């Protein structure tokens, strides 16, 4: 357990989720954070790295149904209904944007171990599918909430990739942070459900961090052996 999350382990579920995303989410990982530093020669993440990120994000989240769609079929909480509708509709548009950026940035850069990397991300996708279809009450919602909260940082990387290739980023229609934390608080409150929400959120964030770790490793391989192909 991260130290930030531990501080709120016995607090309100929305505080726990905020701490989890802050400590273990995309914004705290050094690789996607590097994409925000600059452009051109000052950029620490170059266009081939952004293309790599777009392609692998598309593998992980580019198909329908996804985490939010599955969660909508598993939730019986009326308090989450409107949020799930907005989140599902919003993420459908995010998938379309992700596909647009992925095409625009061109093919993923050839990297040693390509097939193994694709296998790893396919396994991650399967793990997320299983998580979002869990019958444990609160688990799928925890994953969906964490995805929406973490996607704001993921989206920033996609926007930078889009700008680099001349695309105009569009506004995200996903529920905002306040509404997302509010729905988590509304469905939580029971110890068992809170634990399930935390579990779903942690697992989703673990998969995201695993993806960024993989992309960081791929970038390092290309830097050392730029002419080596898979």
């Amino acid at each position: 357990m991260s130290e930030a999350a531990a501080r709120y382990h016995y607090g309100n579920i929305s505080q726990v989720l905020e701490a989890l995303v802050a400590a273990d989410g995309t914004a705290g990982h050094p690789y996607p954070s590097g994409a925000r530093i600059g452009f051109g020669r000052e950029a620490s993440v170059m266009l081939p790295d952004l293309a790599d990120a777009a392609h692998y994000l598309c593998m992980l989240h580019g198909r329908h149904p996804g985490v939010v769609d599955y969660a909508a079929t598993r939730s019986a909480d009326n308090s989450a209904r409107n949020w799930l509708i907005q989140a599902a509709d919003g993420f459908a548009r995010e998938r379309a944007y992700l596909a647009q950026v992925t095409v625009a940035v061109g093919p993923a850069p050839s990297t040693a171990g390509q097939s193994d990397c694709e296998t790893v991300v396919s396994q991650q996708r399967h793990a997320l599918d299983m998580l979002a279809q869990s019958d444990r009450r609160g688990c799928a919602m925890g994953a969906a909430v964490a995805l929406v909260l973490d996607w704001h940082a993921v989206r920033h990387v996609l926007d930078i990739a889009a700008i680099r290739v001349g695309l105009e980023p569009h506004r995200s229609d996903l529920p905002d942070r306040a509404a997302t934390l509010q729905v988590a608080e509304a469905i939580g409150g029971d110890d068992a459900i809170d634990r399930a929400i935390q579990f779903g959120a942690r697992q989703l964030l673990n998969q995201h961090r695993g993806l960024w770790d993989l992309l960081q490793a791929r970038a390092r391989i290309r830097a050392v052996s730029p002419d080596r192909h898979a």
Side-chain angles (χ1 to χ4, degrees):
M1 180 187 299
S2 63
E3 290 183 5
R7 289 201 302 268
Y8 297 113
H9 184 54
Y10 299 105
N12 185 287
I13 185 61
S14 64
Q15 293 176 308
V16 173
L17 291 173
E18 271 199 298
L20 281 173
V21 173
D24 300 330
T26 293
H29 193 286
Y31 187 69
S33 293
R36 300 194 292 270
I37 292 175
F39 293 90
R41 295 180 179 178
E42 290 75 33
S44 61
V45 177
M46 304 305 292
L47 184 58
D49 302 322
L50 292 169
D52 214 30
H55 278 271
Y56 278 88
L57 282 166
C58 205
M59 286 181 61
L60 191 63
H61 289 299
R63 291 187 301 166
H64 180 271
V67 171
V68 177
D69 307 294
Y70 283 130
T73 68
R74 290 293 187 272
S75 176
D77 293 282
N78 288 330
S79 55
R81 186 182 304 277
N82 289 337
W83 183 89
L84 282 166
I85 291 171
Q86 183 185 353
D89 289 346
F91 209 83
R93 287 185 280 276
E94 290 302 297
R95 274 193 296 268
Y97 179 60
L98 174 56
Q100 181 186 22
V101 173
T102 301
V103 171
V105 295
S110 181
T111 309
Q114 186 80 27
S115 60
D116 291 338
C117 293
E118 291 178 357
T119 298
V120 168
V121 179
S122 294
Q123 291 171 343
Q124 288 185 307
R125 168 73 195 208
H126 179 71
L128 288 180
D129 286 348
M130 294 300 99
L131 180 69
Q133 295 179 77
S134 172
D135 290 328
R136 181 183 177 189
R137 187 179 177 189
C139 183
M141 277 298 298
V145 165
L147 174 59
V148 170
L149 289 172
D150 200 48
W151 193 257
H152 294 289
V154 175
R155 177 57 130 79
H156 197 70
V157 176
L158 292 177
D159 287 347
I160 289 174
I163 291 168
R164 295 267 186 98
V165 294
L167 292 179
E168 181 70 25
H170 64 78
R171 182 178 63 86
S172 172
D173 293 321
L174 289 172
D176 63 21
R177 169 184 162 277
T180 301
L181 293 173
Q182 185 177 22
V183 80
E185 189 170 344
I187 66 175
D190 175 88
D191 286 346
I193 295 175
D194 283 358
R195 286 194 297 270
I197 292 172
Q198 288 184 53
F199 177 80
R202 289 176 190 277
Q203 293 304 309
L204 184 286
L205 295 172
N206 284 344
Q207 296 301 333
H208 276 190
R209 288 192 73 85
L211 179 66
W212 294 120
D213 287 344
L214 176 68
L215 291 168
Q216 187 173 52
R218 283 172 57 81
R220 287 171 176 167
I221 290 171
R222 291 192 298 272
V224 172
S225 306
D227 298 323
R228 185 178 177 183
H229 297 281

